[in-house]
Amino acid sequence: MLETSAESPAPVRVVSEALKEYLDRLGSIWIEGELSEINERTGMAFMRLRDTSVDMSISVMCHRSVLAPVAPLPPNARVVIFAKVSFYTKSGTLTLSAREIRQVGIGELLARLERLKELLASEGLFAQERKKALPLLPRRVGLICGRNSAAEKDVVENARRRWPAVEFEIREVAVQGAAAVVEVSAALRELEANPEVDVIIITRGGGSFEDLLPFSDEGLVRLAASCETPIVSAIGHEQDAPLLDLVADIRASTPTDAAKRVVPDIVEEIAMISQLRNRAHRRITNLLVLESQRISSLRQRPVLKEPMVLVTTRWEILQSLRDRSHRSATHAVNMAREELIQITARVRSLSPQATLDRGYAVVQLLDGSIARDPKALRVGEKLRLRLALGEIGAVVSETRE
């Protein structure tokens, strides 16, 4: 480790030699990337090895004999290189000296994508419950597409045919090759940060398996999963299935399908509004007719048609009850009167007064007791004789049996 300070800095030569010494200890390593800019001269081959996720590259050199087994390579071929890191102190450049180059085959790429797919699925990035619904009418639609591509025209024209007032925020980027992941990711971050963008469409017009590989990049897929703005993926066609389709909120089969999903059809919306308005009008009309019939039915009832009927009916009932009560009371009094007359007649017929009226008299002693036995009377004893019309006094002059 170099001992340096502001007062005792290390010369460039010393730093370069220290770097070279450190990198020499690293030894040979396996490294993967996309190979491009292949130039062959004087028995040597010079290339660039790119990491498409971060737009980084490093120089590679090798003997032509090392490149020959895999030549000719397609543009931006994905390879695995066994190389030793070399640092040139004079120029301060880093170079990989390749000892073996292997092209990554389709089968290996598919296997890697399947492992990545299982990993992302286990983390829940493809789960249906995390997908966001699209807005009914977005204020502004973000569109990430290729430069002067047919996919862009399909999305814009079909969207404006359905909703002429739709506005787009378009980002034209590389949609294949070494720069695709970096440019698409940068455009996605920019549109995600725009508060006026309500939905983002990522589209391209199909292609080979290798052309669509950038849309299965782990960094791009995780970036799309972290976005709050709903994302519509329209990559390739129905048979294509990049991982971006699985993490997107909506997967559209074509760019035209993406336009149909993002904005409503103004003709259909107008027809739906008209239909809903007609249904509401019929509903309100039916309610009014029903309530009018109900009010008319209530008005036809006697109690509302002639409100006094209720009072009159009750008055007639009260009159009837009063008459019945009067007749009942009168009858009861008459019956009691007849009975009283009969009882009076019977009482009078049994009264001592009736006997007196027939000429008889009642003899009473002075104490009020009735004299019955002549023997019990004494000569000279005073008596009272009760007649029909009064009383007289008497004296016993004699007694007889």
Side-chain angles (χ1 to χ4, degrees):
M1 185 174 179
L2 294 177
E3 298 283 343
T4 62
S5 65
E7 291 75 18
S8 179
V12 173
R13 173 182 54 80
V14 175
V15 175
S16 297
E17 291 177 353
L19 289 173
K20 184 179 187 309
E21 181 183 355
Y22 176 79
L23 292 173
D24 287 342
R25 292 200 304 267
L26 181 61
S28 299
I29 58 173
W30 287 98
I31 183 169
E32 180 183 355
E34 289 188 0
L35 206 57
S36 62
E37 302 179 15
I38 301 175
N39 296 315
E40 297 182 28
R41 60 179 184 270
T42 63
M44 298 293 292
F46 300 90
M47 302 155 284
R48 301 292 296 182
L49 189 64
R50 296 179 179 273
D51 187 335
T52 58
S53 299
V54 293
D55 192 20
M56 181 183 295
S57 65
I58 189 171
S59 297
V60 179
M61 62 176 293
C62 66
H63 291 283
R64 294 180 62 180
S65 59
V66 176
L67 183 62
V70 294
L73 289 172
N76 301 316
R78 195 163 192 89
V79 296
V80 175
I81 296 177
F82 185 65
K84 186 177 186 305
V85 180
S86 298
F87 185 77
Y88 294 93
T89 57
K90 291 184 178 181
S91 60
T93 58
L94 187 69
T95 303
L96 292 175
S97 297
R99 299 179 180 181
E100 184 180 350
I101 299 177
R102 297 179 185 178
Q103 184 176 3
V104 179
I106 298 298
E108 177 63 20
L109 289 175
L110 288 173
R112 292 181 183 182
L113 287 180
E114 189 62 29
R115 289 195 295 270
L116 178 58
K117 180 180 177 180
E118 293 177 358
L119 173 63
L120 298 177
S122 65
E123 296 178 9
L125 267 63
F126 303 154
Q128 191 64 34
E129 55 269 17
R130 62 163 294 277
K131 296 186 182 297
K132 297 172 284 296
L134 299 183
L136 174 63
L137 185 60
R139 293 172 296 175
R140 191 178 295 271
V141 178
L143 177 60
I144 301 175
C145 57
R147 297 178 177 88
N148 298 321
S149 64
E152 175 186 351
K153 296 177 182 178
D154 287 346
V155 173
V156 174
E157 290 179 3
N158 282 280
R160 287 178 176 165
R161 189 180 297 119
R162 292 170 62 84
W163 196 273
V166 63
E167 296 183 4
F168 281 93
E169 192 73 25
I170 302 175
R171 296 293 181 270
E172 295 183 348
V173 298
V175 290
Q176 70 181 52
V181 174
V182 175
E183 294 188 15
V184 172
S185 300
L188 182 57
R189 291 189 186 93
E190 185 178 351
L191 293 177
E192 168 69 9
N194 190 340
E196 295 185 357
V197 174
D198 293 330
V199 62
I200 300 173
I201 300 175
I202 304 176
T203 183
R204 65 158 289 159
S208 64
F209 174 77
E210 293 82 358
D211 292 338
L212 299 182
L213 277 178
F215 297 98
S216 294
D217 181 82
E218 182 178 1
L220 177 59
V221 172
R222 291 187 181 277
L223 174 61
S226 66
C227 290
E228 296 295 331
T229 306
I231 295 178
V232 177
S233 174
I235 308 299
H237 300 288
E238 197 67 39
Q239 69 275 11
D240 303 321
L243 297 184
L244 183 63
D245 283 351
L246 302 178
V247 78
D249 299 292
I250 296 292
R251 195 264 182 184
S253 57
T254 62
T256 301
D257 183 41
K260 292 181 179 180
R261 289 173 177 267
V262 167
V263 294
D265 189 342
I266 189 171
V267 176
E268 294 179 359
E269 295 301 319
I270 292 175
M272 184 180 297
I273 291 173
S274 178
Q275 181 181 3
L276 292 175
R277 182 176 59 188
N278 292 336
R279 287 176 58 187
H281 182 268
R282 289 195 300 270
R283 177 62 177 168
I284 294 174
T285 301
N286 292 338
L287 286 175
L288 291 176
V289 171
L290 178 63
E291 295 302 323
S292 298
Q293 293 175 350
R294 185 176 297 175
I295 292 174
S296 178
S297 175
L298 291 174
R299 290 179 60 186
Q300 295 301 320
R301 291 184 179 183
V303 68
L304 292 179
K305 191 175 182 181
E306 295 182 9
M308 291 303 296
V309 170
L310 183 62
V311 177
T312 304
T313 303
R314 294 296 185 269
W315 173 254
E316 291 176 353
I317 294 174
L318 288 175
Q319 287 288 97
S320 176
L321 292 175
R322 188 181 65 178
D323 294 343
R324 286 175 58 188
S325 176
H326 183 269
R327 288 194 300 272
S328 178
T330 302
H331 178 70
V333 170
N334 291 336
M335 291 289 293
R337 182 182 292 113
E338 293 294 330
E339 184 178 1
L340 181 60
I341 291 173
Q342 293 177 7
I343 292 174
T344 302
R346 288 198 300 271
V347 170
R348 285 180 177 176
S349 65
L350 297 175
S351 174
Q353 183 67 36
T355 302
L356 295 177
D357 290 340
R358 290 197 298 272
Y360 291 93
V362 177
V363 180
Q364 294 177 316
L365 301 178
L366 294 180
D367 59 2
S369 61
I370 298 174
R372 290 181 175 83
D373 187 2
K375 294 180 181 181
L377 299 176
R378 298 185 304 275
V379 177
E381 186 177 0
K382 293 182 179 181
L383 301 173
R384 288 190 303 172
L385 300 179
R386 185 175 179 181
L387 305 178
L389 299 179
E391 293 181 357
I392 60 174
V395 177
V396 178
S397 58
E398 64 178 338
T399 60
R400 296 178 185 177
E401 294 184 358

